[in-house]
């Protein structure tokens, strides 16, 4: 049982990294070349930004914790700027997607099937943002 949990967590982390790399590599060149917020262009690529939405606490040592570990791996291995938000209601789902997309996040992970409808609405409104819904 413990090995199965580790394999599931490893699969999630690898999936998050692959998705983040794909999103970062597929960004239009104008997005990659933009100056960092509050500064001038330094000739280096701007920070990749990834967000995670969960419907429960990441301290659960299970489903949500695995997703959060993947987010931290993006931060540590790719130098991504990351953010996490716990949302509870469909209105909060919509607001979180819009807020992250409007703030310039490149990739938004929504960890659970309950985010499907809000992700579809946000995807239509922000077609340049990569949104991934797990288990949906």
């Amino acid at each position: 049982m413990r090995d199965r949990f580790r394999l599931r967590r490893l699969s999630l982390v690898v999936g998050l990294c692959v998705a983040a790399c794909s999103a970062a590599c597929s960004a239009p060149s104008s997005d990659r070349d933009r100056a960092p917020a509050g500064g001038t262009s330094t000739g280096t690529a701007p920070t990749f930004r990834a967000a995670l939405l969960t419907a429960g606490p990441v301290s659960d040592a299970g489903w949500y914790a695995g997703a959060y570990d993947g987010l931290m791996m993006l931060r540590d291995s790719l130098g991504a700027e990351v953010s996490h938000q716990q949302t509870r209601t469909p209105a909060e789902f919509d607001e979180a997607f819009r807020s992250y997309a409007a703030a310039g996040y490149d990739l938004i992970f929504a960890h659970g099937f309950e985010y499907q409808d809000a992700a579809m609405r946000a995807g239509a409104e922000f077609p340049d943002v990569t949104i991934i819904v797990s288990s949906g």
Side-chain angles (χ1 to χ4, degrees):
M1 181 76 159
R2 185 174 176 94
D3 289 336
R4 196 176 328 163
F5 177 73
R6 283 185 184 172
L7 180 60
R8 194 178 313 163
R9 182 177 268 177
L10 178 62
S11 297
L12 179 61
V13 168
V14 169
L16 289 174
C17 286
V18 168
C21 289
S22 296
C25 292
S26 66
S29 60
S30 61
D31 286 345
R32 281 186 295 218
D33 297 334
R34 71 178 177 233
T40 60
S41 180
T42 60
T44 60
T47 302
F48 175 73
R49 301 175 82 196
L52 171 66
L53 301 178
T54 61
V58 296
S59 61
D60 72 343
W63 174 251
Y64 301 118
Y68 187 76
D69 288 347
L71 185 68
M72 294 301 101
M73 184 174 249
L74 290 175
R75 181 195 67 192
D76 297 341
S77 65
L78 299 177
E81 179 182 330
V82 300
S83 180
H84 165 257
Q85 184 176 346
Q86 182 178 338
T87 55
R88 298 181 192 274
T89 67
E92 288 179 352
F93 302 167
D94 285 316
E95 178 57 32
F97 278 119
R98 282 190 198 99
S99 178
Y100 279 129
Y105 277 76
D106 304 290
L107 179 62
I108 304 171
F109 290 102
H111 197 50
F113 69 91
E114 61 268 38
Y115 292 101
Q116 283 179 244
D117 293 337
M120 297 288 282
R121 289 187 292 273
E125 192 174 337
F126 298 95
D128 294 336
V129 176
T130 301
I131 298 173
I132 298 174
V133 178
S134 61
S135 187

